[in-house]
Amino acid sequence: MKKTLTMVLALVLCLALAAPALADSSNFNADGEYPLFKDKVTLTIGVKQHANVEDWNTNWQTLYLEELANVDLQFEVYASEMNTQITLAITGGTELPDILFTSPSLDLLYQWALAGAVIPLGDYYDNYAYYINDAIKRTGVDFKPLVTSPDGEIYTLPTFNQSLTNEAPDKIWIYQPWLDALNMKAPTNAEELYEVLKAFKEKDPNGNGEADEIPLMSATNITTKDAWWRAIMNMYLYVPNIPQSVKDGKVFYYAATDEYREGLKFIRKLIDEGLVDPMTFTADKTQFTALINGETNVVGMTMDMIPYGNANTPRIAEFTGLEPFTGVDGVKRTTFAPSLPVVSAMITSSCEDPEAAFRFLDLLYRQDMSIINHWGEEGKHWAWAEETDVSPYANMGYEASFREIEPLWGTVQNIMWYQTGPYAREYFIASGRVLPDNPLTTGARAATIQWAYTPCYPAEGEYIPRFIYTEEESDEISLTLTDLSTYIATARTNFMMNAEGMDIYSDECWNAYLAQLDTIGLQEVLPILQEVYDRMYGE
């Protein structure tokens, strides 16, 4: 499809590679003054249908922005496969809306740009990024390089949401009453983890006289389903949330290292002795939470970004967050999922007034707009924090930012855009949000242990935020990268479960695994990944 898309519109390729001329600015008021436009501007916006947004055209946020900017917003609603529909429209030469609210991969976005469908925005960023520049100051991060395409241009106005909770996906949770019943301390390393799980299994900590305890368990569709093994594996080497690692500037696959093998041996031991339940590989969240929320709890430990359950489950408060385990080398590590900008809006070549489109989209980065897009109307659905309000992350230095009045999230409503389109929320917003006076909320529970995880993140240069490929690089390695990831995940489960021919203790099996990685193409993709890394992050 990528080759076809590029070939079909090869004649208009030059339009995408040359920045459009900046238009006459006589219709725009000064930065920070309203309305944005002296004379009304009409902009069409393509957006995906959303079950929780009743009507994009009559939505309160739409009407508020129309008045604030003196703009007429006309929405064209796409079905769920919006990116596919856009690609088909491009190949068919169909005119697109002025603006697209969607999140294709950076690779697909670049294909649309090469086909001339979306325009480069570098000059607009340089000249008209008023609220965007304020957002960069608020976040402390110039997020533009992380959405810059290989040709040096930017084709999107992204979403950028800094979230402490999301950055630590592998938090460790233990059932405190069992530790208390056994008079044991929380485990801090591999040896102590083994001893605690063994005691959970053998010493009837729930006191019902039955051997029904499950020492450690997870599920396939919790918030971060791989959190349990990553939290353990981080005792042996740093495990990122992508397959590739970096050390001393050299890219490698952590799943092809001796340290990874040692971690698998330890996990295999836990499974062999019944300390990690095999249901972890098959149970869904419903089955998992039923075990937690039963009359008698039978699960002693799990790992996830936030604790399971809900605010109506008192047992959630009985699970204590633990610090990351200390590694076999004496270092505490935890997987870091960095807050990264995500493609969310672009201006198409069909737009007759791209400067107006950019200035309108820039407005969406205003601090309160980034709250409105999720929480609704100020004064009705949320309000700025008062002096007496306390942030759940006060122990990490974050002041209270705002509090909800009438929550909208999770409901069908016609107030806000349900976090659609560009915005930027700094740590202050997410971490300063005043939570309901209920210690059982998942947000409140996650905040109790975040302080222990942030210091354990890898330093800059010790992780890879993301790779952005050229068309040629993507064509050459995308299938191999997918095949490697699929094989590694399958082999990892087979090693942990001691499937036939996958004995992690056997040198023969391990060497066969490494050989298969090379057969798939590991050695061929590494030099290309290194080139991309050097281009994006090299000095």
Side-chain angles (χ1 to χ4, degrees):
M1 173 65 78
K2 290 187 295 184
K3 287 292 187 183
T4 302
L5 178 59
T6 304
M7 292 174 63
V8 168
L9 294 179
L11 293 177
V12 297
L13 181 59
C14 59
L15 296 177
L17 299 180
L22 299 182
D24 174 32
S25 297
S26 59
N27 190 37
F28 305 104
N29 284 312
D31 290 339
E33 293 185 3
Y34 303 103
L36 290 185
F37 311 124
K38 297 175 183 178
D39 297 323
K40 181 166 287 190
V41 170
T42 298
L43 294 172
T44 57
I45 301 177
V47 67
K48 184 168 70 173
Q49 182 177 354
H50 199 297
N52 286 341
V53 177
E54 291 180 359
D55 188 319
W56 292 97
N57 288 295
T58 62
N59 188 279
W60 176 86
Q61 182 177 344
T62 300
L63 300 180
Y64 175 62
L65 285 166
E66 286 183 327
E67 181 177 356
L68 190 65
N70 193 23
V71 62
D72 177 18
L73 301 178
Q74 300 177 1
F75 287 85
E76 298 182 18
V77 182
Y78 290 74
S80 57
E81 297 299 325
M82 181 175 177
N83 291 340
T84 300
Q85 292 186 55
I86 292 170
T87 299
L88 291 173
I90 293 171
T91 58
T94 302
E95 186 169 304
L96 294 169
D98 299 323
I99 296 168
L100 297 175
F101 280 173
T102 186
S103 298
S105 66
L106 284 163
D107 181 39
L108 180 56
L109 173 63
Y110 191 40
Q111 300 309 313
W112 292 351
L114 291 177
V118 298
I119 67 171
L121 302 173
D123 285 345
Y124 296 105
Y125 272 99
D126 291 341
N127 290 278
Y128 308 124
Y130 178 69
Y131 290 108
I132 290 172
N133 287 336
D134 178 66
I136 290 171
K137 292 178 182 178
R138 296 197 319 263
T139 60
V141 176
D142 183 359
F143 46 80
K144 299 191 298 294
L146 288 170
V147 289
T148 297
S149 292
D151 63 357
E153 267 294 354
I154 304 174
Y155 296 97
T156 180
L157 293 97
T159 289
F160 186 51
N161 182 29
Q162 290 181 317
S163 169
L164 291 172
T165 301
N166 293 346
E167 287 179 350
D170 301 347
K171 298 182 184 75
I172 305 164
W173 306 96
I174 195 165
Y175 192 53
Q176 189 65 42
W178 285 10
L179 283 178
D180 295 342
L182 299 175
N183 195 27
M184 298 186 76
K185 295 181 179 180
T188 64
N189 55 38
E191 181 180 355
E192 293 176 1
L193 174 62
Y194 173 77
E195 293 299 330
V196 166
L197 295 180
K198 191 172 179 64
F200 281 179
K201 178 177 176 61
E202 298 175 350
K203 296 185 178 181
D204 190 27
N206 66 13
N208 66 354
E210 301 178 20
D212 57 352
E213 286 85 356
I214 299 173
L216 192 157
M217 183 182 171
S218 185
T220 59
N221 63 338
I222 58 174
T223 309
T224 45
K225 71 184 183 78
D226 291 331
W228 74 272
W229 66 260
R230 284 201 307 251
I232 296 173
M233 187 67 72
N234 270 307
M235 291 188 284
Y236 295 85
L237 80 167
Y238 174 64
V239 180
N241 63 340
I242 62 173
Q244 300 86 14
S245 298
V246 64
K247 185 175 182 180
D248 298 327
K250 299 298 181 184
V251 178
F252 65 97
Y253 269 68
Y254 69 83
T257 64
D258 292 338
E259 293 86 353
Y260 177 74
R261 184 186 183 189
E262 292 305 308
L264 287 178
K265 288 179 181 178
F266 180 68
I267 296 173
R268 157 84 182 276
K269 176 183 177 181
L270 298 181
I271 294 175
D272 284 350
E273 297 189 24
L275 307 183
V276 174
D277 197 290
M279 286 193 297
T280 290
F281 298 98
T282 58
D284 61 22
K285 186 175 181 179
T286 300
Q287 296 169 303
F288 178 55
T289 52
L291 292 171
I292 301 274
N293 297 332
E295 183 176 349
T296 300
N297 176 41
V298 295
V299 177
M301 179 182 282
T302 192
M303 291 81 167
D304 199 358
M305 178 188 298
I306 55 177
Y308 32 70
N310 56 60
N312 297 316
T313 306
R315 189 165 286 146
I316 196 173
E318 298 177 347
F319 280 84
T320 299
L322 302 187
E323 298 181 33
F325 297 128
T326 300
V328 295
D329 56 358
V331 178
K332 284 186 180 182
R333 287 177 287 262
T334 189
T335 297
F336 175 46
S339 297
L340 296 173
V342 177
V343 175
S344 68
M346 54 230 67
I347 300 172
T348 73
S349 55
S350 300
C351 181
E352 295 182 358
D353 193 349
E355 181 181 339
F358 187 92
R359 285 179 181 254
F360 168 74
L361 294 171
D362 176 71
L363 174 62
L364 301 182
Y365 289 88
R366 201 177 76 178
Q367 188 181 45
D368 64 327
M369 291 296 178
S370 299
I371 301 176
I372 287 170
N373 201 340
H374 181 114
W375 285 278
E377 182 180 353
E378 180 183 355
K380 183 175 181 180
H381 301 101
W382 64 275
W384 293 109
E386 300 177 357
E387 290 185 6
T388 55
D389 288 327
V390 178
S391 160
Y393 293 94
N395 64 345
M396 296 180 66
Y398 291 95
E399 298 179 354
S401 56
F402 76 100
R403 62 162 54 244
E404 288 183 88
I405 300 173
E406 181 184 333
L408 294 171
W409 199 259
T411 67
V412 178
Q413 48 75 52
N414 207 34
I415 304 298
M416 49 82 173
W417 287 355
Y418 221 86
Q419 211 161 258
T420 300
Y423 60 86
R425 291 205 294 266
E426 64 272 32
Y427 289 120
F428 167 71
I429 293 179
S431 301
R433 180 169 67 96
V434 180
L435 298 176
D437 296 328
N438 185 348
L440 302 182
T441 61
T442 56
R445 298 306 298 163
T448 62
I449 197 61
Q450 180 65 41
W451 61 269
Y453 283 78
T454 300
C456 298
Y457 295 160
E460 186 174 349
E462 296 177 352
Y463 69 96
I464 304 168
R466 65 167 36 132
F467 287 110
I468 301 178
Y469 305 108
T470 66
E471 181 184 20
E472 293 75 18
E473 289 165 346
S474 179
D475 286 343
E476 187 170 354
I477 69 173
S478 60
L479 291 178
T480 303
L481 293 177
T482 299
D483 290 345
L484 282 170
S485 295
T486 300
Y487 175 68
I488 288 170
T490 301
R492 178 171 51 245
T493 299
N494 288 337
F495 276 133
M496 291 190 290
M497 294 295 291
N498 194 26
E500 185 176 355
M502 298 297 286
D503 182 358
I504 193 61
Y505 296 109
S506 165
D507 290 343
E508 181 180 357
C509 291
W510 178 252
N511 289 334
Y513 161 75
L514 295 178
Q516 183 61 25
L517 291 177
D518 287 344
T519 298
I520 294 172
L522 176 61
Q523 300 308 318
E524 284 72 35
V525 301
L526 281 175
I528 299 173
L529 293 172
Q530 188 67 54
E531 289 181 13
V532 179
Y533 179 85
D534 292 342
R535 180 176 69 231
M536 295 183 65
Y537 309 108
E539 296 182 357

